[in-house]
Amino acid sequence: MSGPVVRPRRLRRTPVMRAMVAEHQVEPRQLVLPLFVAEGATAPRPISSMPGVVQHTMDTLRATAAQSAEAGLAGVMLFGVPQTQDATGSGALAEDGVLNRAIEAVRAEVGESLLVMSDVCLDEFTDHGHCGLLAADGSVDNDRTVEVYARMAVMHAERGAHVVAPSGMMDGQVAAVREALDAGGHTDTVVMAYAAKYASAFYGPFREAVGSSLVGDRKTYQQDPANVREALREVRLDVEQGADLVMVKPALGYLDVLARTAAEVDVPVAAYNVSGEYAMVEAAAERGWIDRDRAIAETLLSIRRAGADVVLSYWALEYAQRLWRR
């Protein structure tokens, strides 16, 4: 009896053959490294739920940004961790606030060799942990919050941010940020909208990373995990309002949303490989349950395969320095 005529395994026989026919790949130029900087820190502070990730000092932040540029990453996404929080998140608009100073420091360090991206949100700065200002009844006041985002974005652009990323899922945030940037003469500043950001359990470690003291939940403004059409509506609205890129967050639990988004829009699509996704792999690898390096590579590849042009990941620098050419 003769064997099969069609043998797909022929194209998997050697490493060179597999590389030649690979449909997707992950390169450093497609990766962004999220970084936390703590106001007043004199040494990096380990984040217990995110092994290997720290709250940086200004000095270690600059050094890591320089390494990221040398490794060929696309950019770094900066999050500030202030020493004090209050009800209005006033540190977000302080001229000498930690995030404003971090943007300025990193831009001075890397110039145009690395994109400096900034988180435009209030959750790191408020003592209640919500992403915006609260109304008298305790709900998040959408329109007052959007006004703050617009002011934040302009401050970040003035300090050198190439990309500002409104992440609070407020209605109209992209339009307000774009209008404020243009009015301030920052017409070249890119807006990357957190367009489909879900109310997810996978953000847990991030809240330790930024010292969030969230009271309640964010279900009234972040996306319902049950919904896809609603997310695509949000994505379309952000594009209409001037978003240059749109983001899906989290990534792994929402690869279907990512694929639908990539098929829906004609702007680049980003996805955030979030803290809980990172922590699960690290915890399993630490126990010897999975091969850490392969799991990292496979995770990033799955996000690219689903349609992400840009991937934000805490593994970005390690992948670029050690794993991607294997």
Side-chain angles (χ1 to χ4, degrees):
M1 180 178 176
S2 62
V5 174
V6 179
R7 293 181 181 270
R9 287 181 56 188
R10 293 187 188 112
L11 296 180
R12 300 194 289 268
R13 195 172 64 83
T14 69
V16 174
M17 182 69 75
R18 291 193 296 272
M20 182 183 75
V21 301
E23 298 173 30
H24 300 87
Q25 58 185 344
V26 182
E27 298 182 27
R29 65 180 179 85
Q30 299 157 334
L31 301 178
V32 172
L33 178 66
L35 292 172
F36 307 100
V37 57
E39 187 173 30
T42 57
R45 301 169 181 168
I47 299 166
S48 64
S49 55
M50 300 176 68
V53 180
V54 301
Q55 293 178 344
H56 285 280
T57 69
M58 284 291 175
D59 287 341
T60 63
L61 179 74
R62 285 193 293 266
T64 303
Q67 292 172 17
S68 298
E70 184 177 354
L73 295 188
V76 291
M77 175 66 75
L78 302 182
F79 297 90
V81 184
Q83 286 182 305
T84 60
Q85 301 168 323
D86 58 32
T88 61
S90 60
L93 295 176
E95 291 289 342
D96 63 346
V98 60
L99 185 51
N100 286 329
R101 289 189 290 112
I103 294 166
E104 196 167 38
V106 172
R107 181 61 189 272
E109 182 72 32
V110 302
E112 300 294 338
S113 64
L114 183 78
L115 294 176
V116 180
M117 305 180 177
S118 66
D119 180 57
V120 179
C121 198
L122 292 180
D123 57 327
E124 300 100 306
F125 299 94
T126 57
D127 56 11
H128 46 72
H130 279 287
C131 296
L133 305 178
L134 299 186
D137 63 0
S139 64
V140 175
D141 188 321
N142 188 95
D143 295 359
R144 287 175 58 221
T145 298
V146 165
E147 292 174 3
V148 175
Y149 288 177
R151 293 171 61 192
M152 284 181 72
V154 171
M155 295 179 81
H156 294 180
E158 289 173 346
R159 281 154 179 78
H162 297 96
V163 180
V164 295
S167 63
M169 289 297 290
M170 297 294 122
D171 293 341
Q173 63 183 13
V174 172
V177 165
R178 183 73 270 164
E179 181 179 358
L181 289 171
D182 291 352
H186 303 290
T187 56
D188 290 334
T189 302
V190 168
V191 176
M192 179 165 65
Y194 284 61
K197 181 179 181 181
Y198 283 84
S200 173
F202 292 102
Y203 303 147
F206 178 91
R207 291 174 185 165
E208 179 192 352
V210 297
S212 173
S213 51
L214 179 65
V215 177
D217 58 52
R218 297 174 177 149
K219 294 180 180 179
T220 63
Y221 48 100
Q222 293 180 349
Q223 287 282 302
D224 185 339
N227 296 346
V228 178
R229 288 194 302 270
E230 182 184 33
L232 294 176
R233 183 186 184 204
E234 295 271 12
V235 169
R236 288 191 296 268
L237 284 169
D238 282 353
V239 173
E240 290 168 7
Q241 292 172 24
D244 300 291
L245 300 90
V246 293
M247 184 193 293
V248 174
K249 179 181 180 181
L252 291 184
Y254 299 86
L255 293 177
D256 61 321
V257 180
L258 176 56
R260 292 279 298 273
T261 298
E264 179 85 13
V265 302
D266 58 2
V267 300
V269 177
Y272 200 140
N273 177 207
V274 299
S275 60
E277 296 165 352
Y278 173 92
M280 289 191 299
V281 170
E282 292 292 337
E286 189 274 331
R287 287 161 177 76
W289 294 343
I290 59 174
D291 181 318
R292 180 177 180 273
D293 288 357
R294 289 182 62 194
I296 291 171
E298 191 173 336
T299 295
L300 297 178
L301 183 61
S302 73
I303 299 167
R304 284 276 296 126
R305 191 182 64 243
D309 302 290
V310 181
V311 182
L312 285 75
S313 176
Y314 301 100
W315 290 306
L317 182 55
E318 179 183 3
Y319 179 86
Q321 291 177 328
R322 194 174 64 81
L323 297 176
W324 84 284
R325 289 194 182 277
R326 285 190 176 184

